[in-house]
Amino acid sequence: MKKVTMSCALMCALLGMMSCGGNKNAAGRADETAAERTVEQAVLADIAGEWIIKAVNGKDMPDAMERTPFLAFDVEEMRVYGFASCNLVNGAIQQEEGQPASLRMPQMVSTMMAGPHLELEQEVLKATEQVTSFALNEQKDVLTLCDAEGKELLRLQKNTGEKLGH
């Protein structure tokens, strides 16, 4: 029983460390947590490449989709592109100076095709507009995009070889 309790406590601590935001104190300032120290160690170069969209606003993406939704970050060009579930998307990425875990994707544009997952696509696009920061897990294969309050907006998995169809 002691091992189960210890395992549960360890899992809770690890999940807490992977979140985007920290706790706020009575003055409204964020207390420094292990999660924040981990986030600060992540840099924009760590997110370069293709990421499969696994969840939006806490809801898992449907399994049966014709094409895999993804975002790809070109950090040298400061661009993002991908497929949001019906349409191709493109935009710029920005970072606040001195804030290595900050990330913004203002003014994403998309093609205008109809599709079976159009509502889901609108959720993805709305989420990208609200992103202000990112966090990576320790293995750097799960990317979490968060809003100003640290709430997870998008969870992505590093693409390790799937052809995503640009």
Side-chain angles (χ1 to χ4, degrees):
M1 186 70 173
K2 201 174 201 178
K3 286 183 181 180
V4 172
T5 303
M6 190 65 137
S7 295
C8 288
L10 181 58
M11 287 299 290
C12 289
L14 288 173
L15 287 172
M17 288 184 0
M18 292 189 322
S19 69
C20 293
N23 298 324
K24 292 192 177 186
N25 62 22
R29 292 189 323 261
D31 293 329
E32 185 173 82
T33 65
E36 289 173 317
R37 286 189 298 275
T38 301
V39 168
E40 288 177 9
Q41 293 172 1
V43 294
L44 198 59
D46 293 333
I47 69 169
E50 296 178 337
W51 297 83
I52 297 169
I53 302 172
K54 299 304 257 181
V56 59
N57 297 320
K59 295 180 282 187
D60 289 341
M61 297 295 275
D63 289 329
M65 296 182 78
E66 276 185 38
R67 290 176 61 191
T68 302
F70 74 97
L71 291 176
F73 296 94
D74 180 342
V75 297
E76 289 182 19
E77 296 290 325
M78 296 299 284
R79 306 285 309 158
V80 60
Y81 64 90
F83 178 72
S85 74
C86 293
N87 289 286
L88 299 174
V89 295
N90 287 285
I93 56 176
Q94 300 173 347
Q95 256 196 324
E96 292 181 41
E97 190 172 330
Q99 301 293 318
S102 70
L103 179 68
R104 293 198 183 266
M105 294 182 277
Q107 302 170 342
M108 291 284 283
V109 296
S110 73
T111 54
M112 297 174 61
M113 305 281 288
H117 302 286
L118 198 52
E119 286 181 24
L120 180 61
E121 177 167 297
Q122 293 304 314
E123 270 192 81
V124 169
L125 290 173
K126 185 175 180 181
T128 62
E129 293 172 5
Q130 298 171 357
V131 170
T132 60
S133 66
F134 70 92
L136 289 165
N137 67 347
E138 194 171 313
Q139 295 78 24
K140 296 187 178 184
D141 63 351
V142 175
L143 172 62
T144 306
L145 304 180
C146 303
D147 68 10
E149 284 76 43
K151 177 184 166 217
E152 177 184 304
L153 298 169
L154 294 162
R155 187 177 64 250
L156 303 100
Q157 178 79 41
K158 183 75 173 172
N159 185 25
T160 58
E162 182 177 346
K163 183 163 175 37
L164 297 175
H166 302 279

